Amino acid sequence: MNPEDRVRGEAAGAAHDNATDATAGDTTASPTSPSDQNVATDRILTIPNLLSLLRLVGVGLFLWLLLDVDSPGWALAVLMLSGFSDWADGKLARLLGQSSRLGALLDPAVDRLYMVAIPVGMAVAGTVPWWPVITLLAREVALFATGPLLASRGITALPTLYIGKAATFALMCAFPLILAGSYSGVVASVLHAGGWAFLLWGLGLYLWSLVLYWAQTILVMRAMPRASARDADATPDTQ
C-alpha cells in the first residue's frame, strides 16, 4: 500500500470514529447496530453524561479545596473520584447503549480541562514547579494548531496513538501521587518519588506523541487535496 492510500485509510477511519488525543479519557467505542446508534445519538440525559457533568463540577471543587480551603487531602479525594468516573462513564456508555454526541464531545473536553486545571492549580499551590506545567500547556497549544490544517483536508482528527494514551495515563497517575506525597512520612516520600517518575515518563511520551501527530499531519497535507477541491471533483455534473 502506498503512503497516500495509507493516509487516506487512516484519515477515513479517524473521521468515522471522531478519535481524539486527552487527556486520562480516551475511549474506543464498541460496535453497535445502526438502530442503536440512531436511538442514542442525540440523547442528553444519560448516566455517562451525568458522570461527565459531575467531573466538570469537580474541576472547580478541586481548585477550591486546594487553593482556597487549603485541603490537599479532600482535593486528592476529588481527583480519585474523578478518575474512577472517567473510567466508569465509558464503560457504562457501552454496556447501557447510551453513547451520545454530547458525551463524545463532553468527555474529552472535561479530560482536557482536568489536564490543564490540575497542574496549574498544583503549581499555584506550590506542590509542583511551573516548568512541567508550561511544558504541558505548550504541547496542548502545538497540538491544537494541527486542527485547522486537518480540517482543510476534511479530517476531524487523526487516529489516536497508543503512546498518547500511555502518556495521559502516566500524567493522570503522576499528579495525584505527587499531591499525596505532599505530606510527611515514609509512605508519602515513596508516593512523591513515584509521582515524579510518572510525571517525567508522561512528559516524555506526551512530547513524543506531539512529534508523531505533527508528522501524520504533514503527511496528510502532502497526500490529500483540500476538502473544497475534493468535494468539487466529487460533485456530479447536472447540466
Side-chain angles (χ1 to χ4, degrees):
M1 180 181 293
N2 60 49
E4 181 174 349
D5 291 337
R6 181 172 61 85
V7 171
R8 289 178 182 275
E10 291 181 351
H16 179 268
D17 295 333
N18 288 324
T20 55
D21 174 25
T23 103
D26 289 332
T27 57
T28 303
S30 60
T32 56
S33 66
S35 58
D36 290 339
Q37 292 179 349
N38 292 335
V39 172
T41 294
D42 296 320
R43 295 182 64 181
I44 296 177
L45 295 178
T46 66
I47 294 177
N49 288 349
L50 290 177
L51 289 176
S52 294
L53 288 175
L54 288 176
R55 288 171 52 227
L56 182 61
V57 174
V59 175
L61 181 60
F62 167 80
L63 294 176
W64 176 70
L65 290 170
L66 184 64
L67 302 177
D68 191 23
V69 181
D70 192 20
S71 179
W74 284 108
L76 176 62
V78 170
L79 286 186
M80 294 177 66
L81 288 175
S82 297
F84 174 76
S85 65
D86 185 27
W87 170 83
D89 63 5
K91 291 291 185 181
L92 290 175
R94 292 189 291 271
L95 290 175
L96 302 178
Q98 293 186 352
S99 300
S100 65
R101 290 179 180 177
L102 176 61
L105 295 174
L106 185 60
D107 184 61
V110 175
D111 288 339
R112 290 293 181 189
L113 186 57
Y114 262 95
M115 289 304 298
V116 173
I118 293 173
V120 168
M122 292 178 64
V124 171
T127 309
V128 295
W130 277 101
W131 68 263
V133 179
I134 294 174
T135 302
L136 287 174
L137 296 179
R139 189 265 188 188
E140 293 297 326
V141 172
L143 182 62
F144 181 79
T146 64
L149 299 177
L150 295 173
S152 69
R153 266 54 180 179
I155 299 176
T156 304
L158 291 170
T160 302
L161 298 175
Y162 174 79
I163 191 173
K165 294 183 178 182
T168 301
F169 170 78
L171 293 172
M172 294 299 286
C173 291
F175 291 109
L177 288 174
I178 292 175
L179 186 58
S182 61
Y183 294 93
S184 60
V186 176
V187 175
S189 299
V190 173
L191 293 177
H192 189 267
W196 270 101
F198 272 109
L199 180 58
L200 295 177
W201 176 42
L203 282 176
L205 294 179
Y206 227 42
L207 294 176
W208 181 240
S209 68
L210 175 65
V211 173
L212 296 180
Y213 278 122
W214 264 103
Q216 288 186 353
T217 300
I218 293 173
L219 187 60
V220 168
M221 296 292 292
R222 290 178 176 177
M224 298 183 66
R226 288 185 174 272
S228 57
R230 188 167 65 250
D231 294 341
D233 293 340
T235 302
D237 187 3
T238 58
Q239 295 182 347

